[in-house]
Amino acid sequence: MDKNTLSELHRIFQEVQSKPELKSALDILFLSMRGFFVFDNVAIYLGDRKTRGLDIVYARAMGRGKTAEADAAWGESVANDVITNEHMVIHGPLDDTTGRDRMSQTYLLGIPLYVGATLRGALLYVRFGGPEYSELHIHTASLQAIWASALIERKELQEARAELDSVQRQMRLQDDFVSTISHELRTPLGFIKGYSTSLLRQDANWDEATQREFLTIIDEETDRLAKLIEDMLESARLQSKTIQFKFSPLRLDALLRDVTARVRTHHPKLEVDLQLEPVPPVLGDGVRISQVFENLFSNAIKYAPGSRLTVATKTVNGRVRLSFVDEGEGIPEEFIPFLFERFYRVPGERTVTGTGLGLYICKQIVMAHHGNIWVESVLDRGTTFFIELPADPTL
Ligand code: ADP
């Protein structure tokens, strides 16, 4: 190999490596080596471990002829042949009658792809109308196959690492959850036990106002405990997908008015500005959707205390969009991607009680309605939760 070729290969190698994404790395690999080896189309087939079929993970038309997508079908039987027999396949045109359109004469080259020591798929090249593949071409193609395998392995490792990170985070959250939940369960129980024991003391003569005060605390703490247990059961049911939703046409503006009125009975000072544009009905489970709204109200009250809350509805591209805007402290950007995960709570000083289940529950319910929920937040300005639901198609 001469010096120029070597330095050209070195340059290509560096450029390919610099592309973090598989598809763009393969694009550079195949395009920049066309100086050594010309072909019209290239495709990569990988065996799917679950379905045992072949997936086309990359296809590209470089030269004459059709589009990459249309072309990928030609290689499937050759790819199967390469994989079944674990060897390279070289095909001349199947029908070589002279006088026919040169473009219909396909020259195929199939090379096995190994990821680690395992045969995982095939790399296929096609040339329309020849020429036949020379020894040099086959060597270059084999080099590209080894290279492509390394890039596929790199992608699979990246995916495995991301999955591992997510599992590790989930395990950490579970650990935190156990300590959070023990605290969250013990606190209301402690109040209930303490105040009821006090009330029952024979020697204490509580006046009526004090008795009422104690009973009110017991009542509120029982509600808190009930809500906590309900959230835990609900999140377990949603995770195992054992909840039956009862869908019917819903008017979200009416539902929002009801929930707002309910929340106000408990929080008379809460300032809520309802900006409800008329929106089409959605197909939904009224009880569950109310639960989502209640959670968002409750979060705004907890995390943006004293702030005004603006709740708005509008139609965007045929979907109904709701927004819950508070003017609280906001959420630092780095925590936003995790907010809807089960058990996740923004780290930091904890003065507000919670379990990290509320937003997870909201997301599962909205997803069961084929909707979306997301958040935008600006520090010291406030937080907005958006929900988008498809309009009822039957109306
Ligand atoms: P919990 O309230 O039980 O902690 P959630 O799942 O409802 O759990 O919320 C997850 C986290 O998101 C909360 O711990 C809180 O830090 C943050 N959060 C939710 N809503 C708001 C809001 N309106 N403003 C600021 N932070 C919020």
Side-chain angles (χ1 to χ4, degrees), residues 289-314:
I289 295 287
S290 303
Q291 206 179 334
V292 173
F293 297 164
E294 275 160 19
N295 261 318
L296 295 180
F297 272 112
S298 141
N299 276 352
I301 292 162
K302 286 197 306 186
Y303 300 107
S307 146
R308 176 184 39 190
L309 192 58
T310 308
V311 181
T313 55
K314 63 175 175 173

Side-chain angles (χ1 to χ4, degrees), residues 180 184 228 231 295-304 309 324-326 328-332 335 338-347 350 352-362 375 377 382-385:
T180 309
E184 293 288 308
L228 179 65
D231 274 1
N295 261 318
L296 295 180
F297 272 112
S298 141
N299 276 352
I301 292 162
K302 286 197 306 186
Y303 300 107
L309 192 58
F324 290 74
V325 188
D326 69 46
E329 282 180 11
I331 306 166
F335 305 128
F338 312 114
L339 281 197
F340 296 94
E341 285 186 5
R342 202 171 176 220
F343 308 138
Y344 187 81
R345 307 199 70 208
V346 169
R350 274 271 156 250
V352 181
T353 60
T355 53
L357 291 173
L359 290 177
Y360 170 80
I361 292 176
C362 291
V375 61
S377 191
T383 303
T384 303
F385 283 91

Side-chain angles (χ1 to χ4, degrees), residues 220-234:
E220 283 171 2
E221 294 299 317
T222 315
D223 283 349
R224 187 169 144 197
L225 205 53
K227 161 100 175 76
L228 179 65
I229 292 169
E230 193 39 53
D231 274 1
M232 282 166 62
L233 295 175
E234 186 82 346

Side-chain angles (χ1 to χ4, degrees), residues 10-201:
H10 179 242
R11 187 194 62 75
I12 297 172
F13 188 86
Q14 278 187 321
E15 204 182 337
V16 171
Q17 287 308 107
S18 72
K19 298 285 170 205
E21 219 221 326
L22 178 65
K23 192 170 171 302
S24 34
L26 288 172
D27 280 349
I28 305 274
L29 170 63
F30 293 119
L31 275 172
S32 50
M33 284 185 69
R34 273 168 63 85
F36 301 97
F37 169 39
V38 178
F39 52 85
D40 290 309
N41 287 353
V42 59
I44 293 179
Y45 299 78
L46 284 189
D48 186 311
R49 289 180 184 132
K50 283 192 203 119
T51 63
R52 304 200 163 268
L54 277 184
D55 290 336
I56 299 162
V57 295
Y58 178 83
R60 177 98 201 207
M62 308 255 173
R64 297 157 284 184
K66 319 159 199 168
T67 64
E69 281 71 23
D71 270 336
W74 42 252
E76 186 145 343
S77 70
V78 180
N80 269 319
D81 188 5
V82 171
I83 294 165
T84 316
N85 299 306
E86 291 201 31
H87 64 45
M88 184 184 296
V89 170
I90 304 174
H91 259 307
L94 294 178
D95 179 356
D96 204 3
T97 333
T98 43
R100 284 195 48 169
D101 174 14
R102 259 172 60 83
M103 293 293 282
S104 68
Q105 300 177 7
T106 47
Y107 290 71
L108 295 169
L109 172 62
I111 300 172
L113 282 179
Y114 290 88
V115 173
T118 316
L119 178 70
R120 286 288 310 284
L123 172 60
L124 264 282
Y125 297 92
V126 62
R127 272 177 179 167
F128 296 113
E132 300 221 357
Y133 297 99
S134 70
E135 204 175 322
L136 178 68
H137 295 158
I138 293 169
H139 283 319
T140 314
S142 302
L143 175 67
Q144 284 184 330
I146 295 170
W147 211 334
S149 301
L151 291 171
I152 291 166
E153 193 171 10
R154 182 182 76 174
K155 175 169 180 257
E156 291 182 345
L157 283 174
Q158 281 163 352
E159 284 169 356
R161 187 180 308 151
E163 207 175 307
L164 195 67
D165 283 350
S166 149
V167 170
Q168 278 181 337
R169 202 172 51 246
Q170 204 56 38
M171 281 168 61
R172 264 199 311 276
L173 291 177
Q174 299 254 17
D175 281 353
D176 293 350
F177 177 69
V178 173
S179 56
T180 309
I181 204 75
S182 356
H183 174 256
E184 293 288 308
L185 285 170
R186 282 203 189 107
T187 314
L189 264 182
F191 278 116
I192 295 167
K193 177 73 185 155
Y195 283 100
S196 45
T197 307
S198 304
L199 280 173
L200 285 170
R201 271 173 55 183

